[in-house]
Amino acid sequence: MNGTRALALHLGVLALLLALHFLAPSYHHTNIARIMVLAIYAMGYNIAFGYTGLLSLGHALLFGAGLYGAGLLVYHADAHATLALIAGVLAGGALAFAVGLLALRTAGVAFMIVTLMFAQAGYLTILYFGSYTRGDEGIVIPRAARMLGSLDLSDDGTRYLVALTLFAIALLCNLALVRSPFGRVMVAMRENEERSRMLGYNPFTVKLAALTVSGLYSGLSGAAYGLMFGYVGAGLASVQYSILPMLYVLLGGAGTVLGPFLGALLMFYLIDYASSVTDAHQFVTGAALVLLVLFAPKGILGTIRARAGARGAEWLP
Amino acid sequence: MEFGPFLLLALMEGLVTAAVLALTASGLSLVFGIMRVVNVAHGAFFMLGAVLAWFTAQWVPGPPAVAFAVALIVCPLIVGAIAALADTAILKRLNYEPEATIVATIGLLYILEQAALSLFGPDARPVPAPFNIRLQLPWFGYSGYKLAVVAAAIIVLLGVWLILKHTRAGLVMRATQIDRDTARAFGINVDRVYAGVFAMGAGLAAIAAVLIVPIQQAHYLMGGDPLLLSFIVVIIGGLGSLRGTLVAALLIGLSDGVISTFFAPTLAKIIATLVVALVLVFRPQGLFGTRTT
Amino acid sequence: MAAVILLQAHGLTRHFDGLKAVDGVDFVLKEGEIHALIGPNGAGKTTFVSLLSGRIPAQSGTIHLKGRDITKLPAHKRVKAGIAYTFQITQVYAALTVFDNVALAVQSRGAHPIRAAAMAALERVGLETRAGQIAGTLSYGHQRVLEIAMGLALKPTLLILDEPTQGLAQGEIATFKEIVRAVVPETTVLLIEHNMDVVMDLATRITVLNFGTILATGTPEEIRANRAVQAAYLGEPC
């Protein structure tokens, strides 16, 4: 059955990542932990953009909500990291819901600009309350505050395994979501909103739900990022961090479950490599965006799925 | 200083901001109005104009006024040419599909900023003003150059208006705006019109940048604020309406001058961005536009 | 025939920039009938059914479904209330499988299990062997049938079909007529149709619309005999 094949593929990827924990050299070990956390963010972005057709330019607001929701709690209120992580997830979801209530009255280009403006306002708010957030300079979270129960997140090995656990949960939930009846409705909304309305679905409700789930993912990623790597700064909530998940998703394949991870992995190493040979790594980002929309708008996995469409890989969720 | 003169100073500063903003935003508005393209790289074109003005000042010998005059003509032309190239090589191939176009112009923004960083460097660099006249008012002295910027902006905008309303090129642009396919059927080379409009929009941003750079210094990241402010102006003025854009530029420019004199600029920006978002949600035709159903 | 009234429109009006697309229409639909809506191009037929289905809001007038006022109800809630609409221009989800297309309709009404209900809906129109196919790769005729299957899968009390036979081959039209006959009387059918053979063959009642107003309503025989209708419509080839 297609379902089992897809599940096997995703479990295989997770097993491979677990194997890398024992095999990868220290430098890549840290990189992959970071990529897995960012891939959760990209998965969240993909749920809104890839599956529901909501092209947002303001997801940094939701990532930032998780980042600061968790970071400020442990830094100023000495909260437990576990509690902070949960708070971060909820902050992302709640903010996505609130933004969605307003932004989803618009569509297309207007939606992009509205989300961009909200994110910009959020970024500026972080700067404005610099006495708490320390603005661009950011907060360094002390080692003692980064304890997830008995797990020390500043330890490389623990951090990798925690990242993998969160990534695995996010990935499998993502898989379950897109294979669920609601996942089908999300795709229907992307494909033809008017048709879906005439099948009895309220476009606003469906999109709001999808955006909120997307916010929960983004919040989780932001909170985990801050707690694991011990840094919370305004730069991580800037417009670049709205573009980043879009880039990952476009590269890996919008509307595919593994696309965000694949895109994050490739883009991370591409920029990493570019930075080592030249200081023009921004050029790589820009060129990647242009080339992708021009020549491969479906991304890697999307193209594979379309090419093999008639028989072979159409089961790729 | 007393309140009255202080306010006058704030208003004069605001007028300069408004003039430059009106130029920049009208470029963005023109491109959106005729091509329905939201150009996120608009701020990068602005920055490019300023950076090129610095290069011109380095290369052209003689008094600053000569270099400045050269920059005022050459920089918009170069920036316009780059824009036309980007239009033909990228946007046209995307068939101006709105979402893909925005993503592509974001990419373009990164590429142009990187190019400026690599060729121009990370430092802010000053460009000398063409002249230094100080106007002595009873309460304070004021830069004559700043007032010249306002005058120049008015002249350029008047020129744009004349081109749009009273030339064949303007007629062709308006025809293309109304119906691309019909325009094509009437033998208008739509591809060339689009490339021209995109170049003109970028050129306007470049002119604004050349005018402002003696006041503000050139820097590879200087495009962010003009981009954001232009968006605000174009949206509040009503997307694609040139007249609305000008009114909004005046309003925002003046209030920006006044507000940032009296309040924290960050707070002013937060309020402005939220206002823009809410205008788009509740009054997509802009504050000054009329709703067409 | 003292049938129960399913849907009643009163004074229904919609103008577009001065064009009176639908102008003060009173209309009654009886439970279990096959009601055809005919009229020249531009008579306001599609606008009228769009008002009934809620795709376009009415400017004035009221709509009652089984006595309940649904005038202000948004389209998606009218679907839940039992009004299904199939599009004039085929609007299946071209990128999804045939199964997913129907499943979307089935799960909208909360049927369970979805797979069985969707397959049953496909069997009803003879598309069950193509369940796994991408809908966009179906032939035009099959896409039209799929569109109807999606409408039927909603198990509506009222099924509105907007020019369902347009572009269908003779054999496909015959199949279509069988499908429609099989759904009444549980489902009431309102169809816009240009093919007079289909109308006369299927309809129990006919309403003729012209310039946004009703010209006549009656049985096929009455409409055939109506001189005003003959003058306005039937006499002209369309």
Side-chain angles (χ1 to χ4, degrees), chain B residues 163-212:
Chain B
I163 289 175
L164 283 181
K165 287 285 172 208
H166 294 287
T167 66
R168 202 188 119 70
L171 182 73
V172 166
M173 284 183 200
R174 278 181 290 140
T176 312
Q177 170 176 20
I178 292 163
D179 188 340
R180 175 157 47 144
D181 296 328
T182 311
R184 188 171 276 139
F186 275 94
I188 292 175
N189 186 337
V190 172
D191 292 343
R192 251 175 58 192
V193 174
Y194 274 24
V197 169
F198 203 63
M200 195 166 152
L204 281 169
I207 293 177
V210 174
L211 288 174
I212 201 72

Side-chain angles (χ1 to χ4, degrees), chain B:
Chain B
M1 217 180 329
E2 285 171 51
F3 181 75
F6 200 55
L7 184 67
L8 179 67
L9 180 64
L11 282 175
M12 287 172 80
E13 288 292 307
L15 202 61
V16 178
T17 311
V20 175
L21 187 53
L23 274 180
T24 317
S26 63
L28 193 68
S29 176
L30 200 67
V31 167
F32 183 81
I34 294 175
M35 304 166 68
R36 296 277 130 185
V37 164
V38 176
N39 179 16
V40 183
H42 197 64
F45 288 136
F46 178 93
M47 174 275 294
L48 222 50
V51 166
L52 287 171
W54 182 84
F55 278 114
T56 316
Q58 299 304 302
W59 290 334
V60 175
V66 177
F68 185 81
V70 172
L72 203 51
I73 295 167
V74 172
C75 296
L77 288 178
I78 297 176
V79 173
I82 294 171
L85 189 70
D87 172 74
T88 317
I90 303 170
L91 304 187
K92 195 181 104 185
R93 286 166 195 261
L94 295 174
N95 206 16
Y96 301 99
E97 200 275 305
E99 295 184 339
T101 308
I102 292 190
V103 176
T105 58
I106 292 172
L108 197 60
L109 161 75
Y110 278 104
I111 292 170
L112 292 177
E113 271 186 1
Q114 182 64 60
L117 177 62
S118 298
L119 301 174
F120 176 80
D123 303 320
R125 300 176 194 217
V127 174
F131 55 85
N132 278 306
I133 304 169
R134 209 158 171 79
L135 249 67
Q136 196 53 53
L137 298 172
W139 314 279
F140 53 84
Y142 198 71
S143 155
Y145 176 71
K146 286 189 178 176
L147 293 181
V149 167
V150 176
I154 292 173
I155 292 170
V156 173
L157 286 170
L158 218 58
V160 171
W161 181 77
L162 284 173
I163 289 175
L164 283 181
K165 287 285 172 208
H166 294 287
T167 66
R168 202 188 119 70
L171 182 73
V172 166
M173 284 183 200
R174 278 181 290 140
T176 312
Q177 170 176 20
I178 292 163
D179 188 340
R180 175 157 47 144
D181 296 328
T182 311
R184 188 171 276 139
F186 275 94
I188 292 175
N189 186 337
V190 172
D191 292 343
R192 251 175 58 192
V193 174
Y194 274 24
V197 169
F198 203 63
M200 195 166 152
L204 281 169
I207 293 177
V210 174
L211 288 174
I212 201 72
V213 80
I215 305 171
Q216 220 188 29
Q217 299 203 341
H219 184 251
Y220 83 105
L221 287 177
M222 73 188 295
D225 270 0
L227 175 69
L228 188 66
L229 281 172
S230 298
F231 262 117
I232 293 174
V233 162
V234 169
I235 288 162
I236 288 187
L239 283 171
S241 143
L242 212 50
R243 197 185 315 157
T245 301
L246 294 182
V247 176
L250 203 62
L251 195 76
I252 301 279
L254 284 178
S255 56
D256 187 64
V258 176
I259 292 171
S260 52
T261 311
F262 293 103
F263 297 100
T266 311
L267 186 61
K269 274 196 209 163
I270 293 174
I271 294 169
T273 44
L274 286 178
V275 166
V276 167
L278 295 178
V279 164
L280 263 180
V281 170
F282 294 106
R283 260 190 85 85
Q285 74 275 30
L287 288 183
F288 307 110
T290 46
R291 190 184 286 268
T292 51
T293 44

Side-chain angles (χ1 to χ4, degrees), chain C residues 89-101:
Chain C
I89 297 154
T90 309
Q91 296 224 24
V92 296
Y93 301 101
L96 306 188
T97 62
V98 170
F99 173 82
D100 279 336
N101 271 273

Side-chain angles (χ1 to χ4, degrees), chain A residues 188-210:
Chain A
M189 217 43 86
R190 175 192 77 195
E191 290 293 314
N192 190 337
E193 183 174 327
E194 177 65 3
R195 215 309 156 221
S196 310
R197 196 159 71 98
M198 296 318 287
L199 283 180
Y201 298 106
N202 184 348
F204 186 80
T205 322
V206 173
K207 288 193 257 180
L208 190 59

